[in-house]
Amino acid sequence: MAGRTYYAPTGGLPPQTDLITDRAVFTEAYAVIPRREFSDIVASYLPFWDKTRCWVIARPLSGFAETFSQYVMEVQPGGGSDQPEPDADAEGVLFVVEGEITVTVDGAAHRLTPGGYAFLPPASGWTLRNDSTAAARFHWVRKAYEYVEGIDVPDPIFANENDIAPTPMPDTDGKWATTRFVDPSDLRHDMHVTIVTFKPGGIIPFPETHVMEHGLYVLEGQAVYRLNQDWVEVQAGDYMWLRAFCPQACYSGGPGDFRYLLYKDVNRHAKLGGF
């Protein structure tokens, strides 16, 4: 499968001549963060990360999305961290959109290039470095792992989407497909990060309404996306954040594929009280 090109933010600041009008919106059911919002003034720095900044695009927020956080990381040459994850109960997924990184787990080094995916179980003691000569940019999804007695914690996974054949959705003539890095029936996993692809003209033909929370980062293309009762235009570099039960659908207008990185929480009982 041919390699893909993904949209990666580079920061900066919109010029004074730009219009203020924008597609950015935050509602009780969803948020849209357009790509021009990834400016220098909203970047953050993290403890124990060298030559690194990030954009925090999702975080647990009472009454909204509550299960995960998501960052877009930018690591300069020679940068990285020997203690990247401060929470021993946090699992993580990395997905590289530009450059290359080396992730080390249990003494084994894994080089990830664009399309590269890593699942990092809790307390895995992973480290990360950019040993290349160019900046690396990647997504980092973090979630508190939900342990279940009698079910093992998942093993680390390293893969690249270019080596995985997408799974077409039934009765869509291949216009809607999902690239999966984890077997959906593997109950060790309590979250999935996948890539969803729509060919031009492909649609979600009904308003999906479900318990899973979503984070959707548009990797390529453009579409009109239904969020709750609204239809919103989105393009490569935009981010959407959906709380549980927010209706969603989409229409891919082309001219190329519309593709996004998707987070959802799965495979666990709903918590009953005691929050």
Side-chain angles (χ1 to χ4, degrees), residues 61-79:
L61 187 66
S62 181
F64 200 64
E66 297 180 338
T67 62
F68 75 109
S69 67
Q70 186 166 348
Y71 311 154
V72 179
M73 304 289 291
E74 180 183 82
V75 182
Q76 298 298 326

Side-chain angles (χ1 to χ4, degrees), residues 7-26:
Y7 188 94
T10 56
L13 191 68
Q16 293 286 291
T17 53
D18 265 16
L19 295 177
I20 297 173
T21 303
D22 201 294
R23 294 171 292 112
V25 62
F26 182 84

Side-chain angles (χ1 to χ4, degrees), residues 9-11 51-55 72-76 135-138:
T10 56
K51 300 181 180 179
T52 299
R53 65 176 181 171
C54 71
W55 290 275
V72 179
M73 304 289 291
E74 180 183 82
V75 182
Q76 298 298 326
R137 297 179 177 90
F138 58 93

Side-chain angles (χ1 to χ4, degrees), residues 193-211:
V193 176
T194 61
I195 296 173
V196 178
T197 300
F198 288 93
K199 297 295 183 182
I203 65 171
I204 297 177
F206 67 103
E208 292 188 33
T209 309
H210 49 63
V211 71

Side-chain angles (χ1 to χ4, degrees), residues 26 28-31 57-70 91 141-144 146 190-194 196 208-217 225 227 239-248 260-271 275:
F26 182 84
E28 76 283 351
Y30 70 88
I57 54 178
R59 51 153 287 188
L61 187 66
S62 181
F64 200 64
E66 297 180 338
T67 62
F68 75 109
S69 67
Q70 186 166 348
E91 59 188 325
V141 177
R142 301 172 64 232
K143 182 182 183 296
E146 296 184 54
D190 64 356
M191 72 166 174
H192 290 162
V193 176
T194 61
V196 178
E208 292 188 33
T209 309
H210 49 63
V211 71
M212 295 89 161
E213 296 179 343
H214 276 338
L216 296 85
Y217 178 87
Y225 218 93
L227 301 167
Y239 185 71
M240 292 169 277
W241 193 19
L242 286 63
R243 71 180 299 177
F245 300 110
C246 175
Q248 62 165 309
Y260 53 81
L261 188 72
L262 174 70
Y263 161 87
K264 65 179 178 181
D265 50 311
V266 295
N267 298 345
R268 293 295 184 268
H269 284 291
K271 294 180 181 178
F275 294 103

Side-chain angles (χ1 to χ4, degrees), residues 15-253:
Q16 293 286 291
T17 53
D18 265 16
L19 295 177
I20 297 173
T21 303
D22 201 294
R23 294 171 292 112
V25 62
F26 182 84
T27 75
E28 76 283 351
Y30 70 88
V32 177
I33 304 175
R35 67 187 189 186
R36 80 166 181 169
E37 310 299 327
F38 290 76
S39 67
D40 291 344
I41 60 174
V42 295
S44 296
Y45 299 88
L46 298 176
F48 308 114
W49 281 82
D50 304 321
K51 300 181 180 179
T52 299
R53 65 176 181 171
C54 71
W55 290 275
V56 179
I57 54 178
R59 51 153 287 188
L61 187 66
S62 181
F64 200 64
E66 297 180 338
T67 62
F68 75 109
S69 67
Q70 186 166 348
Y71 311 154
V72 179
M73 304 289 291
E74 180 183 82
V75 182
Q76 298 298 326
S81 179
D82 294 327
Q83 43 182 328
E85 176 53 77
D87 187 342
D89 290 326
E91 59 188 325
V93 163
L94 310 180
F95 183 80
V96 179
V97 291
E98 189 172 79
E100 61 183 64
I101 55 176
T102 299
V103 179
T104 300
V105 179
D106 293 332
H110 304 267
R111 178 174 168 266
L112 300 179
T113 56
Y117 167 99
F119 170 78
L120 302 162
S124 56
W126 60 279
T127 64
L128 184 148
R129 286 288 157 188
N130 177 3
D131 296 321
S132 73
T133 58
R137 297 179 177 90
F138 58 93
H139 287 257
W140 180 11
V141 177
R142 301 172 64 232
K143 182 182 183 296
Y145 183 71
E146 296 184 54
Y147 299 92
V148 176
E149 185 175 356
I151 296 179
D152 293 334
V153 174
D155 297 322
I157 298 171
F158 293 91
N160 192 294
E161 79 134 324
N162 295 296
D163 301 324
I164 301 172
T167 301
M169 297 293 283
D171 303 319
T172 64
D173 196 27
K175 292 183 177 180
W176 176 9
T178 302
T179 302
R180 296 187 173 96
F181 300 96
V182 171
D183 182 348
S185 65
D186 186 343
L187 293 181
R188 295 178 302 167
H189 289 272
D190 64 356
M191 72 166 174
H192 290 162
V193 176
T194 61
I195 296 173
V196 178
T197 300
F198 288 93
K199 297 295 183 182
I203 65 171
I204 297 177
F206 67 103
E208 292 188 33
T209 309
H210 49 63
V211 71
M212 295 89 161
E213 296 179 343
H214 276 338
L216 296 85
Y217 178 87
V218 183
L219 297 167
E220 302 177 52
Q222 60 190 45
V224 181
Y225 218 93
R226 177 178 169 173
L227 301 167
N228 204 10
Q229 298 179 1
D230 307 317
W231 285 94
V232 180
E233 287 188 293
V234 292
Q235 63 181 343
D238 292 349
Y239 185 71
M240 292 169 277
W241 193 19
L242 286 63
R243 71 180 299 177
F245 300 110
C246 175
Q248 62 165 309
C250 87
Y251 176 85
S252 176

